[in-house]
Amino acid sequence: MSARLLDGKEVARRMHAEFVPRLQAVAGRRGAPPGLAVVLLGDDPASRSYVTGKRQDCAKIGIRAFDHDLPADTPQDALLQLIAKLNADPEVDGVLVQLPLPRGIDEARVLLAIDPDKDVDGFHPVNVGRLMLDQPGFRPCTPNGIVQLLLRHQIATAGAHVVVVGRSHIVGKPLANLLLNKGSGGDATVTVCHSRTADLAAMTRQADILVAAMGRPRAITAPMVKPGAVVIDVGMNRIGQTAPGRAKLCGDVDFEPVSQVASAITPVPGGVGPMTRAMLLHNTILSAERRLGLA
Ligand code: GUN
């Protein structure tokens, strides 16, 4: 191991401390803390574990979490009605519907139903458009967390060649847009690779900053990494799963060999994951601040 470890847990802890005065300002103005509605359909173990983490974070820093755990066979109309109710509820600043949704529910339809000004995930088409146009809006939490992690480790993105492997709506595409935008945490030259990229290793070897977000365990191996590159591992692959909480997490990067080549690398767990959660808290506080004219 020669690479510097990019510790997301530590950065997230520092961010939590920065949230305190913002939370106090919101509570002082409104008499109530920010509120986040977290909607979970069904009992997918990975989704359950993510949602539990989000709710624990809210409790820890003093955001009010409204839990809505619904059965997997909840009709789409019932979910849409719940979202309409949460959109109208003045105590709710953020509405989060955990993805993926059970079969039979139209994800695009559900995301479109969330008020864009409560869309703390940044998944509504209006917020996707705002990101592309570099206008104020909610930025998706994982891409925003990755940019924060780089900024807080003084890793410059301006002029860097960032290669993103994975083109998902949650990570790859929004991250590419964030990095392309002008200013702090942006100004990068971005290449997006995916399962149909002709010679993946030839592309990844050009990266100053390599982001692995394709959801394939240990797919990025040492020969695919340029010596001295910064490697960001977004993978959360559950290996040898027996019971919820028991699964061993494995990234998209072959950690040990790659850390001999890279200059800096994120661990899994403890790298990108805590940053995603911190950015959700940030977006929820930001939503309350905007509603109160504090932001
Ligand atoms: N599923 C995987 N990642 C996410 C996320 O960031 N937000 C939501 N709502 N669902 C997810």
Side-chain angles (χ1 to χ4, degrees):
M1 166 100 201
S2 60
R4 173 160 68 126
L5 210 57
L6 303 174
D7 185 347
K9 252 163 114 173
E10 175 54 32
V11 175
R13 254 197 296 274
R14 267 185 278 146
M15 291 183 68
H16 289 186
E18 294 166 13
F19 294 149
V20 172
R22 296 172 61 193
L23 287 161
Q24 286 168 344
V26 168
R29 179 72 68 92
R30 195 168 58 183
L36 173 65
V38 181
V39 182
L40 174 65
L41 265 70
D43 45 22
D44 174 68
S47 292
R48 164 67 60 192
S49 141
Y50 293 142
V51 162
T52 301
K54 291 169 189 185
R55 289 170 176 163
Q56 284 171 348
D57 284 352
C58 286
K60 202 164 76 187
I61 74 157
I63 286 178
R64 208 169 149 199
F66 301 95
D67 299 349
H68 295 274
D69 292 2
L70 307 174
D73 61 357
T74 300
Q76 179 168 302
D77 279 347
L79 177 58
L80 294 175
Q81 274 171 34
L82 171 63
I83 292 170
K85 205 180 88 191
L86 297 171
N87 284 344
D89 185 340
E91 292 193 331
V92 172
D93 297 293
V95 177
L96 179 151
V97 178
Q98 186 65 29
L99 304 178
L101 287 164
R103 220 189 285 275
I105 294 197
D106 180 351
E107 181 181 297
R109 179 76 194 78
V110 169
L111 295 179
L112 198 61
I114 297 172
D115 178 347
D117 295 326
K118 293 192 176 186
D119 169 38
V120 288
D121 262 326
F123 294 164
H124 190 286
V126 163
N127 282 314
V128 176
R130 287 169 171 162
L131 166 60
M132 285 207 78
L133 297 169
D134 206 359
Q135 294 172 0
F138 292 113
R139 303 304 190 227
C141 300
T142 299
N144 213 11
I146 291 169
V147 168
Q148 273 301 316
L149 192 67
L150 294 171
L151 280 172
R152 286 169 186 256
H153 284 91
Q154 280 85 43
I155 295 168
T157 53
H161 185 192
V162 185
V163 176
V164 179
V165 188
R167 55 176 158 180
S168 71
H169 294 171
I170 294 182
V171 184
K173 282 187 192 173
L175 177 60
N177 280 285
L178 266 183
L179 292 164
L180 275 176
N181 281 342
K182 291 183 179 175
S184 175
D187 292 328
T189 301
V190 183
T191 300
V192 183
C193 300
H194 47 79
S195 53
R196 304 297 298 270
T197 294
D199 186 348
L200 180 62
M203 304 308 296
T204 58
R205 274 197 295 268
Q206 293 177 41
D208 302 311
I209 301 173
L210 176 60
V211 182
M214 67 285 230
R216 282 179 43 221
R218 300 190 190 99
I220 299 292
T221 57
M224 298 169 78
V225 178
K226 177 168 78 174
V230 172
V231 178
I232 305 291
D233 190 350
V234 189
M236 293 272 251
N237 308 290
R238 285 171 153 72
I239 302 280
Q241 183 146 346
T242 47
R246 285 271 180 79
K248 187 170 154 37
L249 272 189
C250 160
D252 288 353
V253 175
D254 195 10
F255 183 87
E256 281 303 331
V258 170
S259 60
Q260 302 298 323
V261 179
S263 64
I265 188 167
T266 59
V268 175
V272 173
M275 294 303 299
T276 297
R277 285 160 56 175
M279 296 320 296
L280 174 65
L281 302 174
H282 163 75
N283 278 351
T284 304
I285 301 167
L286 180 63
S287 178
E289 289 169 336
R290 284 183 176 147
R291 206 154 282 108
L292 294 167
L294 293 170

